[in-house]
């Protein structure tokens, strides 16, 4: 199974400041034949299901604000919130869909400082 | 609009079974896999398996092999997840989530609202 490791476990950022979340996979999730990274980022607010933010590591889902961006390739990935807003307080998860079983990172809790 | 509406909360005793439903609307039910993911209280996300609503074929995580059964009823666009021999550590919110039924693996793009299953004597 591919192990997904996120860091940090939590972070507190001032409103308007940048938040950066890291995700590392135990093996590459880059499929060489199509040069795509099989990685998504989800946002989960309390009492709600996860919501898709980013897929193919860097493609923003329709309707997701452009302050959210994903980057990285192979085994190392980053989710960046360029200017944190109050509504961004949530837990963020990375997940690989390179192979089965699908596996998730442990989550990163983002709070306001 | 896309909707995945799950059945209501359940309380079960250890050793019992639970069957959670997920009714799809707003899209072609047979054009998307249905995955099931659970989340224990205060914990992360754990993938359980998927069903292909078109063929009925399924694939389960090794951890749940022999205890989980995923089925579907295409006439009412509903997927089901049944978990048997429940234990207290099966207490969790169970989510259905859809994935486009295209060649290769694709991302989960929409989740149901979740169903809380509590296992307690």
């Amino acid at each position: 199974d591919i192990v997904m490791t996120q860091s940090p476990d939590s972070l507190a950022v001032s409103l308007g400041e940048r938040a950066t979340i890291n995700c590392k996979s135990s093996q590459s999730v880059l499929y060489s034949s199509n040069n795509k990274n099989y990685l998504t980022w989800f946002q989960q607010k309390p009492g709600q299901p996860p919501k898709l933010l980013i897929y193919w590591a860097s493609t923003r889902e329709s309707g997701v604000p452009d302050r959210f961006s994903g980057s990285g390739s192979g085994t190392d990935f980053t989710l960046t919130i360029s200017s944190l807003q109050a509504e961004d307080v949530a837990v963020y998860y990375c997940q690989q869909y390179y192979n089965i079983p699908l596996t998730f990172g442990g989550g990163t809790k983002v709070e306001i400082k | 609009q896309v909707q995945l509406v799950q059945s209501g909360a359940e309380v079960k005793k250890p050793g019992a079974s639970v069957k959670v439903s997920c009714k799809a609307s707003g899209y072609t039910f047979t054009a998307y896999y249905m995955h099931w993911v659970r989340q224990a209280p205060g914990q992360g996300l754990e993938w359980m398996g998927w069903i292909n609503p078109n063929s009925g074929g399924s694939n389960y995580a090794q951890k749940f092999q022999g205890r989980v059964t995923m089925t579907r009823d295409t006439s009412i666009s509903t997927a089901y997840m049944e978990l048997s021999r429940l234990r207290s550590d099966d207490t969790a919110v169970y989510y259905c989530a859809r994935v486009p039924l295209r060649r290769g693996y694709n991302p989960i793009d929409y989740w149901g609202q979740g169903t809380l299953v509590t296992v307690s004597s």
Side-chain angles (χ1 to χ4, degrees):
Chain A
D1 299 1
I2 299 177
V3 177
M4 308 299 291
T5 304
Q6 285 183 234
S7 62
D9 292 335
S10 65
L11 74 162
V13 176
S14 300
L15 287 172
E17 296 300 305
R18 178 184 300 257
T20 301
I21 301 168
N22 300 300
C23 175
K24 189 174 183 67
S25 57
S26 61
Q27 66 185 74
S28 175
V29 298
L30 172 63
Y31 195 38
S32 56
S33 67
N34 60 11
N35 202 36
K36 286 185 173 181
N37 288 283
Y38 285 56
L39 183 113
T40 54
W41 288 98
F42 294 101
Q43 174 194 65
Q44 187 177 34
K45 297 181 179 180
Q48 295 185 19
K51 174 190 170 186
L52 177 63
L53 295 178
I54 303 284
Y55 57 98
W56 303 124
S58 60
T59 302
R60 199 179 303 113
E61 171 73 333
S62 175
V64 172
D66 61 6
R67 63 180 180 272
F68 291 93
S69 64
S71 62
S73 184
T75 61
D76 292 279
F77 300 92
T78 300
L79 176 70
T80 301
I81 310 172
S82 61
S83 175
L84 191 75
Q85 304 301 303
E87 61 266 30
D88 301 335
V89 169
V91 178
Y92 293 83
Y93 294 94
C94 62
Q95 178 241 321
Q96 66 79 22
Y97 50 103
Y98 182 85
N99 62 16
I100 296 293
L102 305 185
T103 49
F104 296 84
T108 296
K109 187 174 186 179
V110 174
E111 299 172 308
I112 305 294
K113 185 188 291 183
Chain B
Q1 75 282 22
V2 173
Q3 285 196 302
L4 297 175
V5 179
Q6 298 185 222
S7 48
E10 303 261 14
V11 179
K12 296 291 183 180
K13 293 196 182 304
S17 297
V18 68
K19 190 171 186 177
V20 179
S21 67
C22 172
K23 182 169 177 59
S25 62
Y27 72 96
T28 302
F29 180 62
T30 51
Y32 288 78
Y33 289 96
M34 195 67 78
H35 290 240
W36 291 87
V37 177
R38 75 178 187 180
Q39 186 172 37
Q43 302 301 307
L45 299 160
E46 181 177 34
W47 180 78
M48 300 180 69
W50 57 253
I51 183 167
N52 177 338
N54 195 35
S55 67
S58 58
N59 188 337
Y60 306 140
Q62 189 169 9
K63 174 176 179 175
F64 300 102
Q65 293 269 1
R67 279 210 306 145
V68 71
T69 304
M70 296 178 188
T71 57
R72 92 294 190 214
D73 184 339
T74 56
S75 70
I76 55 172
S77 300
T78 299
Y80 303 91
M81 187 284 299
E82 184 170 21
L83 189 62
S84 63
R85 302 194 301 279
L86 289 168
R87 308 184 292 256
S88 57
D89 61 358
D90 290 319
T91 294
V93 175
Y94 289 77
Y95 293 102
C96 58
R98 70 168 200 176
V99 171
L101 210 165
R102 294 193 293 255
R103 200 172 122 224
Y105 293 123
N106 289 281
I108 290 174
D109 67 357
Y110 202 79
W111 299 65
Q113 87 276 17
T115 296
L116 175 62
V117 175
T118 303
V119 183
S120 173
S121 54

